[in-house]
Amino acid sequence: MTLSFHVLSALPLLDWLALAGFFAGWGGYVWFARRRAATHPSILVATNRERHLWMWRATFRDNRVLDGVVVQNLSTSPSFFASTSILILGGLLAALASGDKTVTLVQDLPFAARTTALVFELKLVLLTGIFVFAFFRFTWSMRQYTFGALLLGAAPQHSEAWDDATRQAFADRAGGVMGLAAETFNDGLRACYMSFAAIAWFFSPWACMVATASVVWILYRREFHSDVLSLLEQRPGAAETPP
């Protein structure tokens, strides 16, 4: 109880507001993005439609080697970010272990806030938690792409009997797994983006608040108002889409 009170009292009110704003901005945007995607186009919704179309067309091919290569290439991105997260976590844990030496080094940086060792370690713990979350999301995305490749490999050959209902069921299932993998990867990317707002906390609470708002705005613009989304929303002809 005494330790908890000491931790609470060590952090100034402005820092608590910055921390609350950080989590409110992150969690609030995740909630908002999911609600808005149900009624407005987003990058994830648009690409999930293409994944479903991809799986539908895969049922017409006898040789699906190219499809397997595409799945493998898609899984390399979460693999890369998972490896990077591990390296960052190693550096953060080393900084936590160094204690006062790291505090002294950071305080020599221009514009860095002068804080106690406890407050500085709390900021490092926040960054560590962000990248732990990102690592788990990236590795889960990798596994989901593996499940998608398994479904693709287990699909019947084109020469076997396929009716429209069977093709649709396969496209829904395999495309859904691929979409979940992409959504999980997107969660990890958002965590990486939000880590920049957490880094701004080392400079000042005000910098953290501004950085949080800026990152949320960038995420919103890229997911709902980007040029690539406009191109993805150019629907193909009705003859090219699955029923």
Side-chain angles (χ1 to χ4, degrees), residues 1 38 42 63 66 81 83 101 116 144 158 165 167 177 188 197 215 217 233 238:
M1 181 67 70
S42 68
N63 189 341
L66 178 61
F81 279 98
S83 301
K101 293 181 180 179
T116 63
Q144 287 174 314
H158 174 59
R167 294 180 191 277
V177 171
V215 169
W217 174 249
E233 279 298 293

Side-chain angles (χ1 to χ4, degrees), residues 184-209:
T184 307
F185 177 64
N186 194 43
D187 290 341
L189 278 183
R190 284 176 182 166
C192 291
Y193 273 78
M194 295 304 298
S195 69
F196 287 97
I199 290 173
W201 192 20
F202 286 92
F203 295 93
S204 76
W206 290 112
C208 180
M209 295 179 194

Side-chain angles (χ1 to χ4, degrees), residues 24 30 61 80 109 171 175 208 213:
V30 170
R61 289 192 281 268
F80 168 77
L109 297 175
C208 180

Side-chain angles (χ1 to χ4, degrees), residues 95-117:
L96 279 170
S98 299
D100 293 337
K101 293 181 180 179
T102 308
V103 176
T104 304
L105 178 63
V106 173
Q107 287 181 348
D108 291 336
L109 297 175
F111 310 110
R114 301 298 189 266
T115 60
T116 63

Side-chain angles (χ1 to χ4, degrees), residues 8 11 67 80 101 105 110 114 124 134 158 171 197 220 227:
L8 292 173
L11 203 61
D67 301 294
F80 168 77
K101 293 181 180 179
L105 178 63
R114 301 298 189 266
L124 287 179
H158 174 59
Y220 170 73
D227 293 336

Side-chain angles (χ1 to χ4, degrees), residues 74-85:
L74 289 173
S75 65
T76 57
S77 292
S79 176
F80 168 77
F81 279 98
S83 301
T84 304
S85 298

Side-chain angles (χ1 to χ4, degrees), residues 205-237:
W206 290 112
C208 180
M209 295 179 194
V210 172
T212 299
S214 300
V215 169
V216 169
W217 174 249
I218 290 171
L219 288 172
Y220 170 73
R221 292 291 302 176
R222 291 190 174 182
E223 291 192 37
F224 292 97
H225 294 284
S226 61
D227 293 336
V228 67
L229 177 59
S230 300
L231 293 173
L232 288 170
E233 279 298 293
Q234 295 178 6
R235 304 291 180 88

Side-chain angles (χ1 to χ4, degrees), residues 20-34 190 194 212 216:
F22 173 82
F23 283 110
W26 187 358
Y29 177 75
V30 170
W31 176 84
F32 166 80
R34 289 178 178 173
R190 284 176 182 166
M194 295 304 298
T212 299
V216 169

